[in-house]
Amino acid sequence: MTMTTDVRQAVTARGLTKVYGQGDAAVHALRGIEVGFATGAFTAIMGPSGSGKSTLMHCLAGLDTVSGGEIHIGDVEITKLTDKQLTLLRRERIGFVFQAFNLLPTLTAEQNIRLPLEIAGRQADQVLFDRVIDTVGLGDRLGHRPTQLSGGQQQRVAVARALISKPQVIFADEPTGNLDSRSGAEVLSFLRRSVRELGQTIVMVTHDPVAASYADRVIFLRDGLLVNELHQPTAQTVLDTLLKLEA
Amino acid sequence: MFKTTLAGLLAHKLRLLLTSLAITLGVGFIAGTFVLTDTINAGFAQKFTADAAKISVAVLSKGEDHKVAAAELEKVRAVKGVAEAQGIVSGTAALIGKNGKVAGDFPTAGISIPEGALNRTLITKGAAPKSAAEAVLDENTAKTRGFTVGDTITVLDSASAKQRFTLVGLFDVGVNQELAYTGAVGFTTDTARRMTGEKSFKEIDVLAADGVSPTDLRASVAAALGSAYEVKTGEKLAHDLAAANNMDTQFLTMGLLMFGMIAMFVAALVIYNTFNILVAQRAREMALLRCIGATKKQIFGSIVLESGVVGVISSVLGLLIGLGLGAGAMAVLGALDAPVPVGVGVSLTTRTILVGLVTGIVVTVAAALLPARAATRVAPIAALRSQVEESTVRTGVVRAVFGALFLLAGTGATVAGVSMEPGQSALVVVMASGAIFFLGVLVLGPLIIRPLGAFVGWVPAKIFGVPGRLAVTNSRRNPKRAATTTVALTIGVTLMTLISVITATTRETAGERLDKQFPVDYMIATQQRDSTIPRTLASDLRARPELASVVAIREAEAKVNGRRAEVGTFTADPAFTLTATKGSVKDLGPGTAGVSDGFAKNENVKVGDTVKVAGRDFRVVALLSDDTAPVYGVTIPERDFDSAFPKVADKQLLVNAKDGVTADRSRQIVEAAAQPYPTVLVASSREVRGAFDDALDQILMIITGLLGLAILISLLGIANTLSLSVHERTRESALLRALGLTRPQLRRMLSIEALVLGLIGALVGVALGVSFGWAATQTMMDDITFRAPVGQILSFVALSGLAGVVAAVLPARRAARASIVGSLASS
């Protein structure tokens, strides 16, 4: 794996290892990952089940602790931070989109979108807010509660929420996993537009080659190791690479 | 199905324990009540039996006067088969304390301590009196008055003359409530008769000669005495005494059980809520069971079975706690020197076990029936849905209508109760309407919880930022659950507020009445009701320049309109005014009379009538309020009274000091003047009020303590609801943490939610308590001075909020500790 140093990296990991359990029961989920995610790029992480892709994302996002190695988000080494500092970092620099249960059921769509800013005690950039809402096409649904929205609409609210705080990086964990293909395509093209038009950095974990084809670059994991990568992928090239990995 | 249920229960031991705790406490209280009263009863029975075993036959009077003529003793002694017979003397013999005044508010009892085998008194120190110069004291009086064996004590005889005795021993009054209350001095039988002036015996105890059975002896004694007396064997006597005592403890049992029932009701609400939440959370589990073929009946059965297991476990634990509570209460009573038997084993009867188990199990299962029915409504397809539906409350027109009807009925009945003549029936009406109104609140709860939550949460939402706002929304998101949780607390707070309002109002009203009745600095009276104050004391006091006024009140019995009645008088003085309900006190001049209300009503006397008092006619010029009239009867001017009853001494003196004389100085003067008269006691109005306040405070404290249990159970309910909600919202909490909510913020969010719930419960409780407290006091007496103890009530609200926060500590810690990744993954 070579690293290009001329492109500014939003997130980097060096010698990243993660072990669950101890002794005989120890499971090595990550066995020394070296990877960088360029600013303003849309990167997908793929791999068979148990390859460690979700663990990698959780570690990169500071949701889980690492067993070894270091992770930088921008110029901050997050592997050295306390829980409190990590929490504040998440608030300020990281956005999240999960597979399901992204929204608080008691809040309206708009309240959900503004929530990260409110937790951080910041004011929303109204121009950005309007633009984000406009892009996701939720204008008439802002007063609705999550139960009154379709799955696709809920995920779009989640993406809007991630974008509104202008984070250094957005981590998306199977954002289309629960959606039908049309809603999934909507969410994915919206993610890509936010990279193109707003210069957002996005790291997405997925097992769907079609979803991965929306990214600028795909990296492949197997047994806790980075084994391959593709630039400007298509669904077909991704699928071929995956099949080779499984073999 | 059975195995599945048990496996499910075992998988959640902690939850099971938390749920059980509410019922455990309720059952513990009820069982504790029975254990306590059974233990007391058993102890009394044991003591009575032990006492009665010493005598073969007892002779008692048939009437209420407890008098057996002294001459009968010789007759009994002459009966064949009697080994020994002793007369028991019981009267009054006032002990003089070390300050030269009679000891206590009531004169001590004077009793005989028989010698030999028939002695039933337990001498704990020293020896029984053997000569006319010796006496013994009960332990408690000796302790409080500072006498020890070997001291010389002074006791007033029946003619109020001082007699001196050597204190040769101390004795235990045992379970005799009367002696425990007044204290007692014991003498030899002859001395006791001389000191008390009693000419007859309270009882004659007989010991049978060897070989004579008590039954035979009873028959021969009864034959010798004729039908005037009741003759019992010792065994029968013990049995009768124990039965009479059981009647007394029944009041205690009923009173305590009332609080036990309140606690059980609160526990039932907690159980109902817990099972409702559990069923909601396990909807998918139920649906899965339905998918693989479980019938509705089986689902219903499994929930009922689960509640049954909870019921059994908590009832058994409750019985153990009850045993501990009963033993603890006995120890406390013993330590407080209450006249209860000590040193008896705690008794756990079959009835206690049955009542405890049945109550616990029935309440638990009954409370789980509705949730169990809800569980059967889960459709099998729900197993396939990924997300649990958020419960939304239907606007509930039916609910609103029913609730409103209850509120209206409650209000109407309250208005009716308040406008009734004050008395017991009015109070019952108000209390019943309170219960109806409360039902209305219970029904409307889910509808009013949202506005109340918004109201109560307004300040926390403003102060605590995002966690505050999220907490307030959370507290309102499931109105039904929140309503049941808070209503449990509302019950306790309502009753506490009610009681504190009633005591505060009683205190205020009685205080005002005392001021009206005794607008004086000192009240001088005698310890015994039938003794008087020599008139010299009043004249001595009047001679003191430091005193402004000395009002003497005298009373005598005389014929009024041909019938015996009380006649009284008082020294006319501006400091002492009577309240006239009709006519005017100012007209009370020579030859006129005032008549107390009650007496006037009974005798049909009106203003303008003439009453004949001791052979002289008096014109009635005023009817006097019963509160302030010196006597229940006829009050006539002092000069008229003195000419009719020249020898009657003062009954009571009311003394006012002059302005500018210090309280210490005036007290010194009054006490010095009263010093020569040992039976005359001086009380300042402040002391009278203080004693009254103390008594009220004590009642308030006891009731608060007993209600505390219900409140504790409702707090368990809050903790339970919160921890289940936390469990339900695991992923939500994880999401918030991922979005940047810190652990302390997450904890704070849950604490605020609990605070809001606690405050809602408390506010509703306070509103109900004050309203019905007001209504209740309106029915207790006329012209009361209503008083709501604002500080106390505010502290109830503050404590409820605080208690809610405390209840949230553990659930909040658990929520904050959970790993974000793990929680996001779990479904």
Side-chain angles (χ1 to χ4, degrees):
Chain A
M1 198 78 248
T2 54
M3 290 215 348
T4 39
T5 44
D6 51 338
V7 180
R8 272 190 54 231
Q9 302 289 318
V11 183
T12 55
R14 284 204 188 91
L16 193 59
T17 60
K18 174 73 184 175
V19 185
Y20 292 108
Q22 279 178 340
D24 289 345
V27 175
H28 295 266
L30 300 177
R31 299 165 180 265
I33 303 260
E34 304 278 341
V35 71
F37 299 92
T39 303
F42 185 1
T43 312
I45 304 177
M46 292 205 78
S49 290
S51 61
K53 55 183 191 298
S54 282
T55 305
L56 174 62
M57 195 211 88
H58 289 149
C59 289
L60 292 175
L63 291 175
D64 208 347
T65 54
V66 300
S67 306
E70 52 188 51
I71 297 166
H72 282 84
I73 288 186
D75 49 359
V76 181
E77 185 183 347
I78 67 165
T79 32
K80 280 194 179 146
L81 298 183
T82 62
D83 178 75
K84 166 110 196 207
Q85 289 169 321
L86 261 181
T87 307
L88 296 181
L89 179 107
R90 282 201 301 271
R91 234 187 228 183
E92 301 291 336
R93 304 205 181 178
I94 303 179
F96 286 101
V97 182
F98 298 109
Q99 177 175 356
F101 210 85
N102 266 302
L103 308 177
L104 287 196
T106 48
L107 303 182
T108 62
E110 174 166 0
Q111 285 170 331
N112 264 293
I113 292 172
R114 291 182 187 272
L115 186 62
L117 289 174
E118 291 197 356
I119 292 178
R122 284 195 281 157
Q123 279 297 312
D125 175 346
Q126 195 57 42
V127 179
L128 178 68
F129 183 83
D130 291 340
R131 197 164 155 207
V132 166
I133 297 304
D134 194 41
T135 334
V136 284
L138 283 166
D140 55 338
R141 298 254 154 196
L142 285 180
H144 289 51
R145 285 183 202 280
T147 44
Q148 298 162 315
L149 298 175
S150 72
Q153 286 168 335
Q154 288 188 30
Q155 285 307 71
R156 269 149 54 198
V157 171
V159 174
R161 183 193 61 204
L163 284 170
I164 201 76
S165 53
K166 287 191 279 185
Q168 211 152 11
V169 55
I170 292 178
F171 289 101
D173 188 1
E174 304 272 13
T176 58
N178 272 11
L179 301 181
D180 59 82
S181 56
R182 225 197 63 180
S183 311
E186 266 175 31
V187 169
L188 285 165
S189 36
F190 176 56
L191 282 176
R192 190 162 63 184
R193 267 169 67 198
S194 63
V195 173
R196 301 273 181 279
E197 294 172 18
L198 304 171
Q200 185 62 57
T201 308
I202 298 181
V203 177
M204 171 176 78
V205 169
T206 182
H207 65 271
D208 176 8
V210 177
S213 70
Y214 283 79
D216 301 318
R217 168 186 173 222
V218 185
I219 61 171
F220 294 89
L221 258 68
R222 195 179 66 184
D223 299 332
L225 282 171
L226 200 64
V227 290
N228 207 341
E229 76 171 80
L230 285 175
H231 288 272
Q232 308 307 324
T234 65
Q236 194 56 52
T237 56
V238 172
L239 189 60
D240 292 344
T241 314
L242 272 179
L243 287 173
K244 254 183 274 168
L245 281 183
E246 301 271 9
Chain B
M1 243 8 246
F2 185 70
K3 274 188 189 159
T4 322
T5 308
L6 289 189
L9 275 172
L10 285 177
H12 301 103
K13 287 191 203 78
L14 188 72
R15 193 182 69 196
L16 179 67
L17 204 71
L18 251 178
T19 315
S20 305
L21 208 50
I23 292 288
T24 300
L25 289 178
V27 170
F29 190 87
I30 291 180
T33 301
F34 281 119
V35 169
L36 175 67
T37 50
D38 285 347
T39 305
I40 292 177
N41 283 348
F44 275 114
Q46 200 180 318
K47 179 89 181 152
F48 290 139
T49 315
D51 273 1
K54 291 182 182 162
I55 60 175
S56 311
V57 167
V59 179
L60 301 159
S61 89
K62 273 192 172 159
E64 288 290 309
D65 59 352
H66 300 299
K67 280 187 174 145
V68 180
E72 311 290 355
L73 182 58
E74 289 315 313
K75 275 197 223 166
V76 173
R77 281 183 173 153
V79 172
K80 200 165 164 272
V82 170
E84 196 189 339
Q86 291 278 0
I88 307 294
V89 179
S90 179
T92 52
L95 174 73
I96 305 286
K98 291 201 161 162
N99 60 355
K101 289 286 187 178
V102 284
D105 293 336
F106 292 93
T108 47
I111 59 167
S112 62
I113 311 276
E115 282 170 69
L118 284 171
N119 177 24
R120 284 195 268 160
T121 315
L122 178 66
I123 302 285
T124 52
K125 200 171 171 195
K130 283 185 196 67
S131 72
E134 292 178 345
V136 290
L137 258 184
D138 75 277
E139 282 176 310
N140 207 15
T141 308
K143 197 165 107 195
T144 51
R145 300 292 158 189
F147 289 114
T148 49
V149 173
D151 284 357
T152 300
I153 57 170
T154 309
V155 184
L156 293 182
D157 65 14
S158 54
S160 288
K162 290 181 182 173
Q163 307 286 340
R164 294 160 76 84
F165 296 88
T166 307
L167 186 61
V168 294
L170 303 182
F171 69 97
D172 181 13
V173 295
V175 296
N176 189 317
Q177 315 280 337
E178 261 170 72
L179 295 192
Y181 187 60
T182 60
V185 196
F187 310 96
T188 61
T189 306
D190 287 342
T191 316
R193 288 180 71 182
R194 186 164 49 80
M195 290 298 292
T196 60
E198 291 287 335
K199 295 196 171 52
S200 47
F201 297 121
K202 188 183 106 190
E203 183 182 320
I204 295 175
D205 292 346
V206 187
L207 187 68
D210 286 343
V212 179
S213 84
T215 329
D216 292 346
L217 188 64
R218 194 208 73 83
S220 37
V221 170
L225 294 182
S227 61
Y229 298 102
E230 199 168 357
V231 185
K232 292 177 180 174
T233 61
E235 207 179 322
K236 176 85 166 58
L237 179 68
H239 182 263
D240 289 354
L241 286 175
N245 177 69
N246 284 2
M247 288 292 287
D248 290 342
T249 45
Q250 247 171 24
F251 283 105
L252 179 65
T253 313
M254 295 320 273
L256 286 176
L257 278 186
M258 207 176 71
F259 289 97
M261 257 135 61
I262 294 170
M264 276 315 269
F265 182 64
V266 174
L269 280 175
V270 170
I271 290 288
Y272 164 77
N273 214 23
T274 307
F275 271 90
N276 249 340
I277 300 173
L278 288 182
V279 164
Q281 283 180 4
R282 294 200 313 225
R284 286 178 73 183
E285 195 184 312
M286 308 284 169
L288 185 66
L289 285 171
R290 296 273 281 126
C291 276
I292 59 174
T295 62
K296 282 191 171 192
K297 216 171 167 183
Q298 281 172 315
I299 297 283
F300 184 81
S302 86
I303 301 282
V304 171
L305 176 67
E306 183 170 341
S307 68
V309 173
V310 171
V312 170
I313 292 179
S314 40
S315 305
V316 171
L317 287 178
L319 281 178
L320 292 179
I321 287 187
L323 211 54
L325 275 179
M330 280 303 288
V332 170
L333 285 177
L336 292 175
D337 276 332
V340 292
V342 286
V344 281
V346 179
S347 57
L348 181 67
T349 60
T350 326
R351 181 197 50 178
T352 310
I353 296 175
L354 273 181
V355 169
L357 284 181
V358 168
T359 319
I361 295 170
V362 166
V363 168
T364 314
V365 173
L369 284 181
L370 280 178
R373 203 173 62 126
T376 63
R377 298 222 183 104
V378 178
I381 191 69
L384 307 174
R385 284 190 202 128
S386 61
Q387 210 163 331
V388 181
E389 299 278 315
E390 273 288 306
S391 91
T392 44
V393 158
R394 285 161 293 156
T395 12
V397 181
V398 180
R399 185 182 282 279
V401 169
F402 263 96
L405 279 180
F406 273 122
L407 292 193
L408 272 179
T411 314
T414 310
V415 171
V418 168
S419 50
M420 277 165 76
E421 187 90 347
Q424 194 126 31
S425 48
L427 183 62
V428 170
V429 168
V430 164
M431 290 293 122
S433 49
I436 297 171
F437 195 90
F438 183 79
L439 278 180
V441 173
L442 198 66
V443 172
L444 284 182
L447 299 181
I448 57 176
I449 208 92
R450 273 169 190 269
L452 276 177
F455 172 70
V456 171
W458 192 72
V459 171
K462 283 267 179 292
I463 298 179
F464 295 106
V466 180
R469 254 174 300 148
L470 288 174
V472 175
T473 358
N474 278 339
S475 68
R476 302 164 59 206
R477 73 196 277 181
N478 195 327
K480 248 185 182 167
R481 191 183 291 181
T484 321
T485 309
T486 50
V487 152
L489 181 62
T490 300
I491 295 175
V493 176
T494 302
L495 293 175
M496 288 255 234
T497 312
L498 184 80
I499 296 300
S500 72
V501 165
I502 291 178
T503 40
T505 301
T506 311
R507 193 187 307 255
E508 191 71 14
T509 308
E512 265 183 20
R513 221 160 268 204
L514 270 177
D515 287 347
K516 218 190 269 175
Q517 218 168 336
F518 303 117
V520 293
D521 298 328
Y522 301 101
M523 191 178 97
I524 303 174
T526 55
Q527 186 192 39
Q528 273 160 290
R529 205 185 131 56
D530 50 0
S531 64
T532 50
I533 309 165
R535 288 202 190 182
T536 45
L537 178 53
S539 48
D540 285 353
L541 288 171
R542 287 195 180 107
R544 298 301 307 223
E546 294 89 344
L547 303 180
S549 65
V550 177
V551 172
I553 291 173
R554 289 192 274 281
E555 60 181 59
E557 250 188 23
K559 282 212 163 141
V560 174
N561 288 347
R563 269 201 268 171
R564 295 208 73 79
E566 279 179 29
V567 179
T569 190
F570 62 97
T571 317
D573 191 291
F576 184 71
T577 51
L578 303 180
T579 313
T581 51
K582 288 235 174 64
S584 168
V585 185
K586 282 196 197 106
D587 300 337
L588 198 61
T592 65
V595 178
S596 74
D597 268 339
F599 184 81
K601 204 182 260 177
N602 273 350
E603 299 293 316
N604 201 17
V605 175
K606 285 185 280 300
V607 173
D609 287 1
T610 302
V611 286
K612 202 180 213 34
V613 177
R616 239 192 93 186
D617 281 342
F618 289 88
R619 191 166 50 82
V620 176
V621 292
L623 297 190
L624 306 174
S625 78
D626 285 336
D627 286 342
T628 57
V631 292
Y632 179 85
V634 184
T635 303
I636 55 177
E638 201 173 18
R639 195 167 292 179
D640 293 330
F641 186 92
D642 283 352
S643 61
F645 315 100
K647 283 195 184 131
V648 170
D650 295 334
K651 181 76 200 160
Q652 212 179 47
L653 299 177
L654 306 174
V655 180
N656 265 335
K658 267 193 186 132
D659 289 344
V661 177
T662 64
D664 280 351
R665 178 82 188 117
S666 57
R667 165 130 222 167
Q668 218 178 336
I669 291 164
V670 174
E671 287 201 329
Q675 189 60 34
Y677 316 101
T679 58
V680 171
L681 298 176
V682 177
S684 69
S685 58
R686 210 173 344 135
E687 283 165 354
V688 173
R689 253 182 126 151
F692 183 72
D693 279 356
D694 285 349
L696 272 183
D697 284 340
Q698 212 164 357
I699 293 171
L700 188 66
M701 222 171 68
I702 291 173
I703 295 184
T704 308
L706 293 172
L707 284 175
L709 181 74
I711 295 205
L712 183 68
I713 293 177
S714 60
L715 291 180
L716 278 176
I718 293 189
N720 219 356
T721 307
L722 270 184
S723 67
L724 288 166
S725 297
V726 161
H727 176 74
E728 212 168 62
R729 300 186 210 141
T730 306
R731 298 178 71 187
E732 212 174 298
S733 305
L735 177 68
L736 283 168
R737 291 271 291 124
L739 292 181
L741 206 68
T742 61
R743 285 201 167 116
Q745 280 179 316
L746 187 67
R747 277 201 299 268
R748 202 178 309 148
M749 184 179 91
L750 285 162
S751 303
I752 295 167
E753 184 177 347
L755 174 80
V756 169
L757 287 180
L759 287 181
I760 293 176
L763 280 184
V764 175
V766 162
L768 288 176
V770 171
S771 318
F772 285 93
W774 174 84
T777 50
Q778 293 300 315
T779 67
M780 283 159 59
M781 43 197 158
D782 279 322
D783 55 80
I784 56 137
T785 317
F786 178 71
R787 184 78 180 278
V790 178
Q792 233 169 44
I793 290 172
L794 285 182
S795 73
F796 290 159
V797 176
L799 283 177
S800 303
L802 190 72
V805 172
V806 171
V809 166
L810 282 180
R813 266 174 56 144
R814 235 182 50 199
R817 269 207 205 140
S819 108
I820 301 174
V821 175
S823 304
L824 278 173
S826 73
S827 56

